[in-house]
């Protein structure tokens, strides 16, 4: 099967499964990460097919959305089987996807190849900036989290289980994760884009907190 045919098959699968989700990890998030990853890849000269497939599929087995008894490895294998993605391409995609997530800052996995770094950069770019602000509140709302609670301070998480149990406010999420991402980008292409997006979030938070206190 030609590379473009594989991409189209994956796009159709994602559109069918994830188009109507309202938790900010939907089809459109996957497509934005895919487009970002391809742009970074072309600038940084990585393997475009590996990057494209890993970016498109990066959230299909996310730990936040697994059913009881499921594992990330098992769910991802099920999807890749259905899409008939095999061989060395599959092995590299699995490695990237299973080690991509931020996981409350507890993920210490470092990619030793450019493709993994590109996909992680693309995913994290879509977590910050104006899109990042919108996604944070969409996800928080889907989990019944308050926008802001001045009495609940941002936290540090010692492990993934502690991170999963956290149900703090969306504003806390900016300090617990989103504002920390700026210094963790691998590629020069992503680092340049991250500057503007990070600055937007800082300005948004200043305005939000002024309005919260009735000072603006």
């Amino acid at each position: 099967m030609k590379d473009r045919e594989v991409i189209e098959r994956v796009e159709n699968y994602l559109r069918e499964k994830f188009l109507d989700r309202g938790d900010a990890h939907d089809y459109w998030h996957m497509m934005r990460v895919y487009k970002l990853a391809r742009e970074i890849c072309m600038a940084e000269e990585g393997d475009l097919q590996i990057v494209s497939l890993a970016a498109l599929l990066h959230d299909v087995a996310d730990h936040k959305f697994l059913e009881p008894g499921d594992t990330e490895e098992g769910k991802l294998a099920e999807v890749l089987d259905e899409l008939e993605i095999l061989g060395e391409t599959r092995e590299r995609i699995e490695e990237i996807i299973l080690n991509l997530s931020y996981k409350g800052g507890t993920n210490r996995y470092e990619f030793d190849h450019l493709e993994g770094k590109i996909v992680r950069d693309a995913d994290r770019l879509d977590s910050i900036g104006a899109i990042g602000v919108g996604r944070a509140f969409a996800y928080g709302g889907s989990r019944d989290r308050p926008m802001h609670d001045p009495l609940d301070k941002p936290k540090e998480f010692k492990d993934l289980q502690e991170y999963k149990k956290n149900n703090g406010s969306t504003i806390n999420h900016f300090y617990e994760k989103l504002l920390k991402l700026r210094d963790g980008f691998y590629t020069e292409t992503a680092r340049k884009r991250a500057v503007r997006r990070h600055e937007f979030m800082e300005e948004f938070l200043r305005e939000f907190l002024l309005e919260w206190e009735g000072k603006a």
Side-chain angles (χ1 to χ4, degrees), residues 166-200:
N166 179 50
N167 199 39
S169 72
T170 295
I171 290 297
N172 276 2
H173 183 63
F174 284 89
Y175 297 98
E176 291 166 349
K177 175 184 177 182
L178 305 185
L179 291 173
K180 296 179 179 181
L181 296 179
R182 178 182 59 179
D183 298 325
F185 289 93
Y186 293 99
T187 64
E188 183 65 21
T189 306
R191 284 195 292 270
K192 288 178 179 178
R193 291 191 177 213
V195 171
R196 172 175 172 171
R197 293 186 182 220
H198 182 90
E199 291 174 350
F200 179 91

Side-chain angles (χ1 to χ4, degrees), residues 81-115:
D81 286 344
E82 184 173 345
L83 293 169
E84 299 179 359
I85 297 174
L86 306 169
E88 293 182 5
T89 296
R90 176 179 177 135
E91 291 176 6
R92 180 54 60 90
I93 290 170
E94 286 178 320
E95 183 217 349
I96 293 172
I97 293 173
L98 293 174
N99 295 288
L100 194 68
S101 177
Y102 186 74
K103 296 181 178 177
T106 65
N107 183 4
R108 299 290 184 257
Y109 190 89
E110 293 293 340
F111 293 108
D112 61 3
H113 50 82
L114 179 59
E115 289 71 31

Side-chain angles (χ1 to χ4, degrees), residues 26-51:
D26 59 356
Y27 168 77
W28 297 113
H29 163 62
M30 296 168 182
M31 292 304 297
R32 288 193 304 272
V33 172
Y34 165 64
K35 291 173 183 177
L36 282 167
R38 286 179 63 86
E39 289 204 15
I40 297 170
C41 188
M42 288 185 282
E44 303 286 338
E45 300 183 350
D47 185 314
L48 192 58
Q49 180 72 351
I50 295 291
V51 164

